[in-house]
C-alpha cells in the first residue's frame, strides 16, 4: 500500500558472481541478524523459513503471495520465524512471468531472472518456468529481494522474444544487456534492500513517510520544495 511505498527510494544493492541462491540468502540473513542486534538489541535466529511462491498462491487463492503474508490470519497459518513482534519468512521459487489484465505475459521479477532449468526457457509456458527468485518478508512487508540472473545470450534472447518484444524494442531497450551476455558474462546474482522501508521497520512505524525527510507525494511532487517546477 501507499504507506510502505515511495516514488523515489534508496537501495542497499549487492551483486555477486559465481554465487548460489543459498549463499545469497545466508548473506541477507546474517545482515538482518547484525542490524537487529546493533540497532534494536534483538537476537534473531537464522535461517528463516522458505515458502514456495506457487504453493502460496494455490493455498490462499491469491495472485501475489505478499498479499497472503500481509493478511494476519494467513500469516498465522504459515510456518514463519517469530521473535517478539518480528515475523520473518522467505518467498522463493518465483515463476518467470504471469499474465496481466490484458492476458499478456509480464515478468514477475524482471526479464533477467534465471530459470532453474536451463531448457525451460524454450520448452515451458512462461508462467510455468520456475526461477531462482527470493523476497524477504518481515511482518508481511517485503524488505529485500533479488534473484540469480541469466548469463546466457541465447536464453535471454529467446525469453525476450517470448515476452513479445519485437526486434526494435529489443535493440532499443536491451542491446547493452545482450552485448554483455555475448561476451561470456559469468554466472551472477544479487539482492537489494529498500533502505527507507528497512528504516521504517526498525523505527516501528507503519508509515514510510515518517522516516524520510522530504517524501514525495503520489504525484511525484516534493511539497516542501514545490518541485519539480515546470520548464519554461
Amino acid at each position: 500500500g501507499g504507506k510502505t511505498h515511495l516514488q523515489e527510494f534508496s537501495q542497499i544493492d549487492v551483486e555477486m558472481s559465481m554465487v548460489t541462491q543459498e549463499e545469497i540468502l545466508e548473506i541477507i540473513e546474517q545482515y538482518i541478524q547484525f542490524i537487529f542486534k546493533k540497532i534494536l538489541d534483538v537476537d534473531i535466529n537464522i535461517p528463516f523459513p522458505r515458502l514456495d511462491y506457487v504453493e502460496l498462491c494455490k493455498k490462499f487463492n491469491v495472485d501475489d503471495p505478499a498479499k497472503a503474508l500481509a493478511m494476519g490470519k494467513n500469516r498465522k497459518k504459515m510456518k514463519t520465524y517469530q521473535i517478539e513482534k518480528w515475523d520473518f519468512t522467505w518467498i522463493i521459487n518465483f515463476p518467470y512471468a504471469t499474465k496481466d489484465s490484458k492476458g499478456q505475459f509480464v515478468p514477475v521479477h524482471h526479464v533477467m531472472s534465471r530459470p532453474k532449468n536451463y531448457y525451460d526457457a524454450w520448452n515451458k509456458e512462461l508462467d510455468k518456468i520456475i526461477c531462482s527468485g527470493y523476497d524477504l518478508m518481515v511482518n508481511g512487508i517485503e524488505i529485500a529481494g533479488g534473484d540469480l540472473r541469466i548469463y546466457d545470450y541465447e536464453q535471454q534472447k529467446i525469453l525476450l522474444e517470448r515476452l513479445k518484444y519485437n526486434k526494435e524494442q529489443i535493440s532499443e531497450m536491451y542491446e547493452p544487456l545482450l552485448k554483455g551476455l555475448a561476451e561470456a558474462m559469468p554466472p551472477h546474482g544479487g539482492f537489494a534492500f529498500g533502505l527507507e522501508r528497512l528504516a521504517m521497520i526498525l523505527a516501528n512505524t507503519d508509515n514510510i513517510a515518517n522516516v524520510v525527510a522530504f517524501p514525495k507525494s503520489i504525484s511525484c511532487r516534493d511539497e516542501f520544495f514545490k518541485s519539480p517546477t515546470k520548464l519554461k
Side-chain angles (χ1 to χ4, degrees):
K3 290 187 176 182
T4 61
H5 289 70
L6 292 170
Q7 299 299 321
E8 297 179 8
F9 61 95
S10 306
Q11 283 193 172
I12 303 170
D13 201 332
V14 178
E15 305 295 331
M16 294 169 280
S17 62
M18 312 302 289
V19 68
T20 66
Q21 175 174 305
E22 191 58 35
E23 287 170 334
I24 293 174
L25 299 192
E26 288 176 3
I27 290 171
I28 299 174
E29 289 171 339
Q30 290 168 13
Y31 177 69
I32 285 290
Q33 189 178 54
F34 172 79
I35 63 172
F36 269 72
K37 183 63 176 178
K38 189 78 171 179
I39 297 173
L40 300 180
D41 196 27
V42 172
D43 293 311
I44 301 294
N45 292 327
I46 55 177
F48 303 141
R50 275 76 158 148
L51 300 179
D52 185 271
Y53 181 104
V54 176
E55 289 181 5
L56 289 178
C57 288
K58 291 179 180 178
K59 183 174 182 179
F60 295 104
N61 193 29
V62 292
D63 57 5
D64 181 355
K67 294 178 183 177
L69 280 169
M71 298 168 65
K73 63 179 185 295
N74 285 339
R75 202 158 66 237
K76 291 175 184 177
K77 297 178 185 177
M78 299 180 187
K79 183 183 177 183
T80 59
Y81 169 70
Q82 291 183 284
I83 178 171
E84 298 178 358
K85 60 190 175 185
W86 306 110
D87 184 355
F88 295 89
T89 193
W90 286 105
I91 299 176
I92 62 172
N93 297 334
F94 283 74
Y96 182 76
T98 188
K99 288 185 178 180
D100 62 14
S101 58
K102 298 179 181 178
Q104 300 295 319
F105 278 117
V106 293
V108 172
H109 260 193
H110 52 73
V111 299
M112 299 170 286
S113 191
R114 188 196 309 172
K116 287 196 166 186
N117 184 326
Y118 177 82
Y119 294 103
D120 283 354
W122 287 264
N123 300 330
K124 277 193 174 182
E125 281 294 310
L126 296 181
D127 57 350
K128 299 297 189 295
I129 299 173
I130 301 302
C131 294
S132 298
Y134 33 85
D135 284 350
L136 178 59
M137 310 291 292
V138 178
N139 296 350
I141 299 172
E142 178 194 337
I143 62 166
D147 46 28
L148 300 183
R149 323 285 195 233
I150 292 171
Y151 61 95
D152 178 83
Y153 173 87
E154 295 296 338
Q155 187 183 53
Q156 184 65 83
K157 187 170 181 292
I158 190 62
L159 285 170
L160 288 171
E161 292 172 353
R162 294 189 66 193
L163 286 168
K164 305 301 183 184
Y165 289 105
N166 58 42
K167 290 182 179 180
E168 291 73 22
Q169 289 173 317
I170 291 175
S171 177
E172 181 180 341
M173 299 169 62
Y174 296 107
E175 184 177 7
L177 170 64
L178 293 173
K179 185 176 181 181
L181 294 177
E183 297 297 328
M185 187 179 292
H188 59 289
F191 65 90
F193 280 88
L195 180 59
E196 293 88 355
R197 194 177 299 177
L198 182 58
M200 179 190 79
I201 295 293
L202 292 168
N204 193 27
T205 177
D206 62 358
N207 193 330
I208 199 166
N210 293 336
V211 298
V212 182
F214 306 108
K216 302 292 187 294
S217 68
I218 197 168
S219 62
C220 300
R221 283 186 55 79
D222 186 318
E223 296 302 329
F224 184 85
F225 291 107
K226 302 299 180 184
S227 66
T229 57
K230 290 183 179 180
L231 294 175
K232 296 181 179 178

